[in-house]
Amino acid sequence: MTRPRILIVGGGFAGVECARRLERTLAPGEAEIALVAPFSYQLYLPLLPQVASGVLTPQSVAVSLRRGLRRTRIIPGGAIGVDGTAKVCVIRKITDEVVDESYDYIVLAPGSVTRTFDIPGLKEYGRGMKTLAEAAYIRDHVIAQLDLADAATDEAERVSRLQFIVVGGGYAGTETAACLQRITTAAATRYPRLDPKLIKWHLVDVAPKLMPELGDKLGADAMKVLQRRGIEISLGVSVAEAGPETVTLTDGRELPCRTLIWTAGVAASPLVATLDAETVRGRLAVTDRMTLPGFDGVFALGDAAAVPDVHTGDGAICPPTAQHAQRQGKAVADNLTATLRGAPLRPYVHKDLGLVVDLGGKDAVSKPLGVELKGISAQAVARGYHLMALRTNVAKIRTVTNWLLNAAAGDDFVRTGFQLRRPAALRDFEYTDSYLTPDQVREHTKAMSARH
């Protein structure tokens, strides 16, 4: 008899935890395990702002898949369609070759992409903070603006290059603005021709509060830290239009700006739409056991699935956080093992352990297990949590070494020339235009069947 084929889509927190758990719980003869991921690393997303600011090297937050997975076959590419009837996943490899992967069980953990809106100029001039390449690009871009402003002979050009706008008052936006503002402030001393007062950071969010999940007190504390550093915060406001040298806000202000960083939320991977399944706010509507109703052998979890929050109740769904994704990965692996062995499946239940927000340097706000902290104690909790969540000792050692080096030696202002001559749009990093429609998936699998 052939072994059942388990295909895991996504190399993020959910997918990798699922694969690791399956390797531990299943004997080699019980199943074949394959994982589809465009990169051979698991990205630790919460620390991306520190990569963008240069505090951490990219390798610190990129945990090698091949170091942690021993039996799982890794397919280098991205899933662009799933035919749940034919049990086929259509994959575009990193060479752009399109291949078909048959499965008996599929675990859908493709994660999320940057959520955008129909705002003129946003897709052309907005920059995301969702991938390692975007973080590296933004670092180069921000330092390049300082270099070009220093060399500029036109005052208007200098002003526009030294104004930076971050849209999104959640964790990603707040930490990005906080970390990058610190590096531009530190760098200003190395540019004697630049007036430090010209360097301005704006944090914009349509919501009435900053990071409302933290509660009023900690959200207000975070605002005070940012404002004390000179970051202007505009709440109840968004972007009306983006251009190459200006950004117009919905309150009518037109700001000179050549750096628009867009972190206003996430949306489930476009892969979700290829299944033609029921969704909740764009995420696959799954059971509390993370099975997809109406589809045989399909499990979904993480940012791409609306997993019922059994602990909270009242119809709540789990938020798209790393904390839930990791635990859901383990729970799906256990349910898959139970399925193969004819045992009952268990619902996913997890109580949220709290939140941590690193604002750079000695500043942080945290809420572990409901306890509100700020300053050094919050920073200790935040960094301790991140170290615990990094899955390999190599990643932990690299991260701690980077933190110590940055604390002792200060910031560096080197740009690598990453995509120097080609301004990169959101779609260039997240490949959101490469997915098939449900009809195209069915046509593709029909054509494949005819060939065989």
Side-chain angles (χ1 to χ4, degrees):
M1 289 178 63
T2 58
R3 293 178 295 169
R5 295 161 297 182
I6 299 173
L7 180 63
I8 302 169
V9 175
F13 290 107
V16 172
E17 283 300 323
C18 182
R20 285 164 59 98
R21 185 80 151 208
L22 286 172
E23 286 192 351
R24 288 196 296 270
T25 57
L26 291 177
E30 286 187 276
E32 293 179 13
I33 308 168
L35 184 144
V36 184
F39 307 107
S40 60
Y41 59 78
Q42 176 194 349
L43 177 62
Y44 188 71
L45 264 169
L47 288 176
L48 268 190
Q50 295 194 32
V51 173
S53 64
V55 173
L56 297 178
T57 61
Q59 291 89 342
S60 302
V61 300
V63 181
S64 170
L65 293 181
R66 298 186 187 279
R67 185 183 286 272
L69 299 174
R70 304 294 182 181
R71 288 166 34 209
T72 302
R73 177 169 62 99
I74 297 172
I75 304 170
I80 58 173
V82 176
D83 188 329
T85 304
K87 289 197 167 185
V88 169
C89 181
V90 185
I91 298 168
R92 189 186 301 278
K93 294 168 73 173
I94 57 174
T95 57
D96 274 340
E97 177 191 0
V98 176
V99 297
D100 305 300
E101 189 74 23
S102 298
Y103 64 84
D104 295 297
Y105 300 95
I106 189 167
V107 177
L108 298 175
S112 54
V113 296
T114 301
R115 182 181 61 186
T116 57
F117 300 95
D118 192 19
I119 297 171
L122 174 60
K123 291 181 180 176
E124 291 78 19
Y125 303 109
R127 312 283 175 249
M129 182 61 79
K130 198 78 175 65
T131 68
L132 195 56
E134 282 175 315
Y137 175 84
I138 284 175
R139 173 173 170 75
D140 264 22
H141 174 80
V142 168
I143 295 173
Q145 300 316 298
L146 298 177
D147 288 344
L148 292 166
D150 185 62
T153 55
D154 178 66
E155 184 65 17
E157 179 189 348
R158 184 177 292 116
V159 168
S160 68
R161 291 196 181 280
L162 295 179
Q163 292 214 34
F164 306 89
I165 296 176
V166 179
V167 182
Y171 307 115
T174 302
E175 289 187 338
T176 297
C179 291
L180 286 172
Q181 185 271 341
R182 283 188 81 248
I183 192 173
T184 54
T185 300
T189 60
R190 309 300 175 103
Y191 294 86
R193 294 181 67 247
L194 289 184
D195 180 358
K197 294 178 182 176
L198 289 179
I199 301 175
K200 294 181 180 178
W201 282 85
H202 302 256
L203 180 59
V204 175
D205 192 27
V206 73
K209 296 178 182 177
L210 200 65
M211 296 183 292
E213 301 91 338
L214 279 172
D216 291 346
K217 185 178 181 299
L218 284 184
D221 288 339
M223 273 189 69
K224 287 175 185 174
V225 169
L226 300 183
Q227 289 170 333
R228 188 174 69 240
R229 291 191 196 166
I231 298 175
E232 183 178 335
I233 300 173
S234 299
L235 299 176
V237 176
S238 189
V239 172
E241 185 175 353
E245 298 176 16
T246 60
V247 171
T248 304
L249 302 182
T250 51
D251 62 4
R253 282 182 291 167
E254 184 176 311
L255 304 176
C257 171
R258 301 193 190 210
T259 307
L260 174 63
I261 302 174
W262 184 266
T263 65
V266 296
S269 165
L271 182 67
V272 164
T274 72
L275 279 108
D276 223 1
E278 184 184 346
T279 59
V280 176
R281 285 178 281 184
R283 299 161 70 184
L284 287 169
V286 296
T287 68
D288 58 8
R289 287 153 176 79
M290 289 169 286
T291 56
L292 187 62
F295 291 81
D296 180 45
V298 178
F299 293 81
L301 66 162
D303 292 7
V307 180
D309 190 341
V310 174
H311 184 270
T312 302
D314 295 326
I317 60 175
C318 296
T321 63
Q323 186 181 142
H324 278 288
Q326 284 181 316
R327 286 164 175 81
Q328 287 169 8
K330 294 176 182 177
V332 163
D334 290 343
N335 280 343
L336 255 172
T337 301
T339 300
L340 292 173
R341 295 174 180 173
L345 277 59
R346 294 183 177 178
Y348 170 73
V349 184
H350 170 63
K351 181 182 179 182
D352 203 298
L353 297 177
L355 309 161
V356 295
V357 182
D358 190 332
L359 299 174
K362 298 176 182 177
D363 296 317
V365 289
S366 301
K367 196 175 181 181
L369 301 173
V371 180
E372 296 187 344
L373 301 172
K374 63 179 180 178
I376 294 290
S377 58
Q379 184 65 279
V381 169
R383 297 204 165 180
Y385 173 80
H386 291 319
L387 285 177
M388 182 179 68
L390 286 166
R391 279 309 188 197
T392 65
N393 289 330
V394 172
K396 295 177 199 284
I397 292 168
R398 277 202 183 110
T399 300
V400 170
T401 302
N402 285 172
W403 280 338
L404 292 174
L405 184 62
N406 182 260
D411 297 301
D412 211 345
F413 314 111
V414 175
R415 56 185 171 89
T416 61
F418 184 75
Q419 290 206 335
L420 180 65
R421 303 245 171 220
R422 182 170 175 250
L426 287 166
R427 62 179 176 272
D428 296 321
F429 290 109
E430 300 187 35
Y431 308 103
T432 50
D433 53 359
S434 42
Y435 293 85
L436 304 178
T437 65
D439 288 340
Q440 287 173 327
V441 173
R442 286 190 286 268
E443 287 171 14
H444 182 88
T445 52
K446 278 181 187 174
M448 178 192 72
S449 299
R451 286 196 300 270
H452 295 291

